[in-house]
Amino acid sequence: LTDRLEFSVDGIFNKRWSVSVIPLNAAGNLNVSRYEYHTTSESLAIAPRLRLDVGESWRVSLSGVYGEETVNLARYTYTNNVQTGIVPVCYCNNGRSVELSADGSIFSLPGGPAKLAVGAGYRDNVFVADSGPGDLGNVQASQDSFYLYGEISLPLISPEQAIGGVHRLNLSGALRHERYPGIDSVVTPKLGIIYAPVADVALKGSWGRSFRAPTLFQQYQVLSAILYPATSLGGTGYPAGSTALALTGGNPDLKPEHAETWMATFEYAPAAVPGLSAQFGYFSVRYKDRIVQPISYFSQALSDPLYAPQVQRSPDAAAVTAAVASAAQFFNATGRPLDPATVVAIVDGANVNAGRQTVQGLDMLINYSTDLGKDQGSLAAMVNASYLTSDQQTSANARVVQKAGTLFNPPHWRARGGLTWSRNELTLNSTYSLIGGVIDARTASPVPVSGMTTLDLTARYRFAPDKGALAGLELSLSAWNIFNDKPGTIATSLPYDAGFDSTNYSAVGRLISF
C-alpha cells in the first residue's frame, strides 16, 4: 500500500463428498443390515494481515482469521435392503481470531542487537451439532479466550568477538498469559539457550511450561452407547447371553492440560567435511491432567482392575435404560435386541483428565551433500531416526501403563533415509522409510504387529529457461511403496472396524503418480 505498509490475505475453500457403508451384523453381510453414511463437507477461511514497518527495525502487524465449516451427515439404516431409519446431523462450526503483534530491536549487546516480540489476541470458537428440533444429540457450545505474550532474544557473545571457548552464546525467554473464561487463567514461561564452544559445535537447550484448554469436541462430543457381548469386553464367568454397555463421548467437566517440557540438541557441522551436518536431540514432556479416553482397550474393560473405576457392575434395569436414553447414538453389536436384564456392566469410556502422562524421545538427523565434479551433478544423502517412549497413569493409585509401542499408539522406532542425485534439469530421488511394529495388548496373550518398510522413487525434470514455450514446465513421476508393503492384520471387535492399526500404518499400498 505504501513503502512501509503491506496488506496480504490468505484464503481457502474446500468442498468434498463421501459415502461409506458399514455392516451391522457379525457376518458382515450388507444385505442383512447396514448403515450408509452420506456426507457433504464445505469449509472456507480468510486471513487478512496488515504489516507496518516502524523505524529501522520494528514491525507492527494486525492479523485476523475467520473460518467456518459445515458438514451435513445423514446416517441411513437398512434392514434386508429396506430403509428403516435416518439420522441427519449438521456440524455447523466457525472460528474467529484477531491479533496485534510487534517485533524489533530494543538495544545493542556485544553479540548483536537484543530483540523483543510482543502480542495480544482474542479467539472465539463455536461448535454446533444439529440433528433437528428436540433431538437429544443437539449441541451448541462456544469458547473464547484472550492471550498476551512476549519473547526476548539476547545475543550475549558472537563469533566476531573471538572469545576462547565461547564461539556464540544466545539466551532467550518468553511469557504467555491465556484466559479462558469459565475454565482457567494461566501464565506459562519458556527459557532457552544456544551455546557454541567452537564454530563446528552448538549445544541448544530449552525448558518451558504449557497449557491447553479442552476442545469443544472433547467436552461436548455426543455420547454413544454400544451394546457388546460381555465376553467382547473381557467378561468371564457370566451366564450365556450376558451383555455389557460401553459409553464413549465428551465430558463437559474436563479441566485443562498442563505440561512441562525439556529439550536438548547437539549440533555438529565440521568445517573439515563441507556439506556434512548432524543433529542429535532429546526431549521430555510431562503432562498433568492429560485429556484421554480412560479405557485403552475395551476388550479388557471387565478383566483389567485398572479400569475398575470406570465400570458399574450389576446395574439394575433403570440404570441401563437411563444410560441408553442419555446417549445420542445407540449401536447394538450383539445381534439380539437389548434386554436390560442381561446387561452385567456399564463401562464409561468418556473423556477424562488422566493423572499424568510422560513422553520422552531421541532424535537424530544427518545430512550430507557434495558436488560430484564437472558434468557429474550433485549428490545428497539424509538419515532421520527417532525413538519414543511414553507411559500414562490415570490416577495416583493406578498402575503405570506403557503407551508407546502398543496398538493405536506411536511405535518406538521411526526412521527415514534418502538419496538425491541432481544434474542440470534432472533430479532422481529414492527414500526408504521404516515405521516400527507395535504390540496388540488387548488380550491376555499380547500379539506382535509387524511394522512397515517402504521404498519411494521419484524422477523430476524441469525444462530450462531456454526451452521456449516449455521453459519452467516441471514433470514428475513418482512411485510410493514400490514393493507394496501392507500393514499387519489385527483382530477386530465389530464387523466395520479396520483390520489393521490405522493410526500408524497406511492401507493405500503401491501408488504411482505423474
Side-chain angles (χ1 to χ4, degrees):
L1 303 180
T2 72
D3 59 344
R4 289 181 175 269
L5 181 63
E6 176 187 277
F7 173 75
S8 62
V9 61
D10 291 324
I12 185 171
F13 175 79
N14 181 62
K15 186 170 184 177
R16 60 186 185 272
W17 302 263
S18 68
V19 176
S20 59
V21 183
I22 60 175
L24 297 178
N25 55 86
N29 189 333
L30 297 175
N31 293 318
V32 173
S33 57
R34 68 182 185 273
Y35 280 150
E36 289 190 6
Y37 289 91
H38 294 250
T39 306
T40 301
S41 172
E42 186 173 294
S43 60
L44 64 89
I46 186 168
R49 184 180 72 166
L50 281 170
R51 188 176 72 177
L52 176 65
D53 291 334
V54 182
E56 296 183 359
S57 65
W58 275 85
R59 294 172 299 180
V60 178
S61 295
L62 177 64
S63 59
V65 178
Y66 174 78
E68 61 181 38
E69 181 181 48
T70 301
V71 180
N72 285 295
L73 169 67
R75 188 190 75 198
Y76 298 89
T77 306
Y78 287 86
T79 304
N80 296 324
N81 288 322
V82 177
Q83 183 181 325
T84 56
I86 177 175
V87 178
V89 62
C90 176
Y91 291 102
C92 307
N93 312 310
N94 65 73
R96 300 171 295 172
S97 70
V98 61
E99 180 176 304
L100 179 64
S101 62
D103 66 271
S105 302
I106 49 176
F107 53 81
S108 295
L109 288 171
K115 296 182 178 181
L116 177 69
V118 294
Y122 169 80
R123 287 193 302 261
D124 178 55
N125 294 303
V126 177
F127 173 55
V128 175
D130 186 1
S131 295
D135 191 276
L136 187 63
N138 288 350
V139 175
Q140 183 166 353
S142 63
Q143 178 68 64
D144 59 353
S145 63
F146 305 85
Y147 60 89
L148 301 166
Y149 64 85
E151 182 172 359
I152 190 169
S153 174
L154 303 173
L156 301 181
I157 298 175
S158 69
E160 289 74 18
Q161 295 177 264
I163 297 177
V166 186
H167 182 71
R168 181 164 63 106
L169 178 62
N170 186 295
L171 302 179
S172 62
L175 282 176
R176 183 180 182 92
H177 168 72
E178 296 207 43
R179 183 168 73 88
Y180 286 79
I183 295 182
D184 205 349
S185 180
V186 69
V187 175
T188 51
K190 183 177 181 181
L191 300 173
I193 183 172
I194 301 175
Y195 167 60
V198 295
D200 294 357
V201 175
L203 303 173
K204 300 180 179 181
S206 68
W207 167 88
R209 296 188 183 276
S210 305
F211 167 91
R212 188 181 75 84
T215 67
L216 293 170
F217 186 73
Q218 288 174 329
Q219 292 176 287
Y220 300 107
Q221 175 191 2
V222 296
L223 195 66
S224 297
I226 308 174
L227 186 68
Y228 289 100
T231 53
S232 295
L233 301 189
T236 57
Y238 293 110
S242 295
T243 60
L245 191 65
L247 305 177
T248 61
N251 179 359
D253 296 325
L254 289 174
K255 304 302 181 184
E257 296 180 354
H258 298 264
E260 183 177 22
T261 302
W262 290 89
M263 299 182 69
T265 303
F266 171 80
E267 295 185 354
Y268 181 56
V273 187
L276 175 64
S277 65
Q279 297 181 20
F280 303 91
Y282 165 80
F283 65 88
S284 170
V285 186
R286 298 182 180 275
Y287 296 93
K288 290 172 56 181
D289 300 322
R290 186 75 188 269
I291 299 171
V292 300
Q293 292 180 328
I295 300 177
S296 301
Y297 304 120
F298 274 93
S299 60
Q300 299 175 4
L302 301 181
S303 59
D304 193 331
L306 176 68
Y307 304 133
Q310 309 303 126
V311 178
Q312 178 186 354
R313 297 184 183 272
S314 304
D316 56 25
V320 174
T321 302
V324 173
S326 67
Q329 303 178 97
F330 174 69
F331 302 90
N332 191 333
T334 67
R336 301 185 305 275
L338 169 64
D339 180 2
T342 67
V343 178
V344 297
I346 299 176
V347 181
D348 187 356
N351 297 328
V352 298
N353 288 100
R356 68 169 188 84
Q357 189 176 51
T358 301
V359 182
Q360 300 180 82
L362 298 171
D363 292 320
M364 178 190 73
L365 175 62
I366 300 175
N367 285 294
Y368 178 71
S369 60
T370 183
D371 190 339
L372 298 177
K374 186 177 180 180
D375 295 330
Q376 299 299 311
S378 62
L379 184 67
M382 176 273 295
V383 176
N384 186 197
S386 63
Y387 178 78
L388 182 75
T389 66
S390 66
D391 57 60
Q392 178 178 299
Q393 188 178 29
T394 54
S395 67
N397 298 322
R399 75 173 188 272
V400 176
V401 177
Q402 301 300 316
K403 304 296 287 185
T406 61
L407 196 67
F408 305 127
N409 290 286
H412 288 300
W413 285 101
R414 287 180 183 267
R416 189 172 177 86
L419 283 174
T420 302
W421 176 79
S422 299
R423 179 188 175 193
N424 300 326
E425 295 83 11
L426 179 63
T427 299
L428 302 177
N429 170 265
S430 64
T431 303
Y432 179 83
S433 299
L434 164 69
I435 303 175
V438 295
I439 298 296
D440 183 353
R442 295 176 295 171
T443 59
S445 300
V447 178
V449 179
S450 60
M452 290 187 69
T453 56
T454 59
L455 178 65
D456 308 329
L457 303 176
T458 298
R460 182 178 293 110
Y461 188 87
R462 185 178 181 88
F463 287 89
D466 61 354
K467 297 300 182 181
L470 295 179
L473 176 66
E474 185 175 290
L475 303 179
S476 177
L477 176 64
S478 296
W480 290 286
N481 192 4
I482 194 167
F483 294 120
N484 201 33
D485 194 19
K486 297 179 175 65
T489 302
I490 64 173
T492 58
S493 301
L494 296 172
Y496 51 82
D497 281 346
F500 67 102
D501 183 345
S502 56
T503 302
N504 294 304
Y505 311 112
S506 169
V508 171
R510 184 186 298 112
L511 181 65
I512 298 174
S513 73
F514 176 73

